[in-house]
Amino acid sequence: MNPQNDAIISIIGPGMKVIGDCITDGTMRVEGSVEGSIKAGKAVVVGKDGTVEGNIDTQDAVISGKVTGTVNAASRLELQSTCRIDGEIFVRRMQLEEGAILNGRIHMGEVKAPDLTPSKPSTSAATNPPPKSAPQPATAGKA
C-alpha cells in the first residue's frame, strides 16, 4: 500500500445514500447509508447515524451505527455503545462497549475470514450454456 494513501479519507455524509460497493486504499467514514460492501485498506468508521447493509473488509473498524452483514477487521474492531451489528465478525482484537448490540457469530484471534471482495456476475457461455435442443416451431397440419 502506498504510504500517502493512508491519509485519504472518503466520507459518505449525513443524508447521502450510496447503492453499490465502495473500495478505497485509505479510510472510509460512513455518516449516511451504504447498500453494498465496503473494502478499505486502512479503516472503516460508521458514525452513530450511519448504516451499512453489506460486508465490511478492512484493517481497523470503529462502529457506532448499524451494520447488517459480515465484518472482517484484520487488526482491530471497536463496537461503541450506540452500535448494532447483525452478522458474522472476523477479527483479531475487539473492544465492545456496554450497550452495543451484537447478533451473530464472532471469530477472534488468528482466523481466516472468507473473501469479501465484491464480485461481478459472470456472463460467460460456460456458466450459461445454451439449451441442448431448441424447441421446434409449431407446424400447421396438411389440408
Side-chain angles (χ1 to χ4, degrees):
M1 184 182 308
N2 190 339
Q4 63 192 21
N5 287 340
D6 288 348
I8 296 172
I9 299 176
S10 302
I11 300 173
I12 308 298
M16 184 176 184
K17 181 177 186 177
V18 173
I19 299 174
D21 298 327
C22 301
I23 300 172
T24 181
D25 289 336
T27 297
M28 171 80 58
R29 182 172 188 93
V30 179
E31 296 293 340
S33 72
V34 174
E35 290 181 16
S37 295
I38 297 174
K39 184 174 177 94
K42 182 161 176 63
V44 173
V45 178
V46 179
K48 188 174 81 168
D49 296 321
T51 62
V52 176
E53 292 182 31
N55 300 327
I56 296 175
D57 190 7
T58 188
Q59 285 295 311
D60 299 311
V62 178
I63 312 292
S64 300
K66 183 176 181 186
V67 175
T68 304
T70 299
V71 177
N72 176 24
S75 182
R76 182 175 182 276
L77 174 63
E78 181 179 331
L79 302 180
Q80 296 185 336
S81 63
T82 55
C83 89
R84 178 185 178 106
I85 296 185
D86 293 305
E88 211 164 5
I89 293 177
F90 294 86
V91 66
R92 183 169 296 170
R93 297 184 323 262
M94 184 171 74
Q95 177 181 342
L96 178 65
E97 289 184 2
E98 183 178 350
I101 298 171
L102 172 57
N103 295 311
R105 295 176 56 172
I106 302 172
H107 306 272
M108 287 185 72
E110 300 293 328
V111 296
K112 176 72 175 138
D115 183 14
L116 300 179
T117 304
S119 60
K120 295 181 181 175
S122 174
T123 58
S124 70
T127 58
N128 296 319
K132 292 187 182 196
S133 62
Q136 298 299 319
T139 57
K142 291 186 179 180

